[in-house]
Each structure stands twice: as structure tokens, then as C-alpha cells.
Amino acid sequence: MKALVTSDLHIHPWRECSRDGGQDRLQDGLSAARQLLQAARDRKCPLVVTGDFKHLKDRWILSALNGLLALFREFHDVEIFAIPGNHDGVAGGKCGLDVFHELSNFYLFDVPMIGHAPGAGGSGPKAAYWPHQPTLDGLPAFLAQARKAKARVLFAHAFLSGAVLGPDEVRLPGVGATLEQFGLTGEDRVFDYAFVGDVHKQQAMTTSVPQGSKPPPGLLRKTPAIHIPGSPYQQNWGEWADAPKGGLYVDTDAGTVEVVPIQAPRFLVKDLTEVKPQNRVVALEGLLKIGAEDGWAKGDFVRLIVGSWADGKLLERVR
């Protein structure tokens, strides 16, 4: 199986840091989606989105919907495998991705099911699809179906316990679904690969790393490869610029998972409050010099944290 996997697009006219009521930020999201579709086209593989196409949980913003419709029609030669996330509903409890059903290249898995693997065709190998569910009551039957169908790849939208959050590699044990519940541990495990949306920080999880340790990169061939694609671009200050962003190009035949970066604005933070008083002005001047000479932060959003020592003239130069 070969596929480009992403998650948590959250296409939305974000007003934070916008100059025109969110339309520029909407274009940031649509640009990220376009780059992912182009990367899938270049690699002649499907695009798999493991949840959260949109941001508001109960409705579509029309500009976001129309933007995605236009993109999916433009890239009609790219198969799109869609798994609804917890943000993909609309009023009345319906799936908000039903609106794409008329597209011939759009495959929707809005209930837990076993289907053909991305790019495999109807007679090829199987994959398991688990969209966001309010409870995990259906997991045992779902895993039994996957085992019977020999579906060795899982695509899901769920919060996995132990996922890494934030710049300090914080893990949340006991919160969310366990790897055991999803058939990802033990000698009798169901899946060899899992790609799970919901957490926005891209990472690989393993079953052989102690709690609190940072997972090693790449795949451990003797344990299932569990990957969280993360959001393909930073959407606000709650995401960190040091985490990899983009899609994941998956080749299960070769046993590789490669990050495919995309171009998008970053949210950068520069905290100068800890700089020694005699060096603060020099530090600010240094930012200006780097920006002028190297293009640092060009096209990005920058949060500059200073104290009362920074006078208005100096801050205006930085701005």
C-alpha cells in the first residue's frame, strides 16, 4: 500500500492574526490542502485524511466548504479517503462530509468498517477504518472483523493515551483510548500499521518505549508502526513550530513512512524576558538584522515577549 496520510486540516477563516476577517487564514488552510493533493498526485497515490476537515463542530463555514469542493474537483484524479473526526458533524448529528458524496474521487468511511486499502482497488488488501465515535463500545466487534478480513492497516480518529503533547514532550497516561483497546499491542495484535488523527503534534508511537520517554524516529519492525500524522500546518499559537508539519508518505511494501513538508506560515515565539538587561536591546537589534539579511520569519507570525524596558520606538521598528 502507498498513500499520503494527513489529519486535522481544520479549514477555517481563523480571525486570529488575520488582516481581513479570516479570509487570508482560510487561504493558508486551503493552500495546505492543495499542497497535499499535489504531493499525492505527484506520487500517484491516494490522499487519506484521518478526520477534522473543518473546524466548527456543528456546521460548515460556506467559504471553507466551497474552497474544499473546488480543490477536490480540481484534483479529480486523486482518490481521497475520508474518515470523519469529532469536528466533522453538522446540526442534527449528521456527518458533515456527506456533502462530498457526489464526487467520484471521494470515499467516505463514516461508520466503523473494513474496506479496501487506499489504492488497492476493490479486490486488493483490506484496511480498517474507525471514524470518531462517542464511545468505544463497538471496538471488540470491529477488531474481530478486521482480524477475519486480515486488515493489517488501521486508519482512525481517536485520542490515544500516551500521545505526546506540547514542546516538553508531555504525555497524558490514562486519558483516551489505550493501544490495547485498538489491537496495537501484544502477540495477538490485529494491526501492523496505524495512522490516527486527533492529536495535532506529528509523532510516532511505539509499544516498547517506557512511559515519559521520547519515541525513537522511524519504524520498529518487530512492533506495530503507530503514527499520528498531526495537523499539516500550524493553525494557532497552541501548536509548536519545532514539531514536524506536513503529510506522511506511507509505503508498507518498503516499510517506510516519510514526512512530506509543505509551505505554510509558522507561529514563532521569541521570549526576551530572560535576557540580561544589558543585552536586551542588542537581542532586539539582532532579530531585525537576521530578518533583514536571512529572511527569518518572512511570511510567519511572531509573538515577541518583552518587558517594560522596550520603548515604543524600538518596538515600532521591530513591528
Side-chain angles (χ1 to χ4, degrees), residues 177-191:
T178 65
L179 301 182
E180 290 83 356
Q181 286 177 295
F182 270 98
L184 294 170
T185 58
E187 294 295 329
D188 195 33
R189 72 174 191 264
V190 180
F191 303 109

Side-chain angles (χ1 to χ4, degrees), residues 253-274:
D253 295 332
T256 57
V257 176
E258 170 194 352
V259 178
V260 179
I262 65 172
Q263 296 298 315
R266 299 172 298 168
F267 284 76
L268 305 176
V269 178
K270 286 292 183 179
D271 188 348
L272 301 181
T273 57
E274 298 299 322

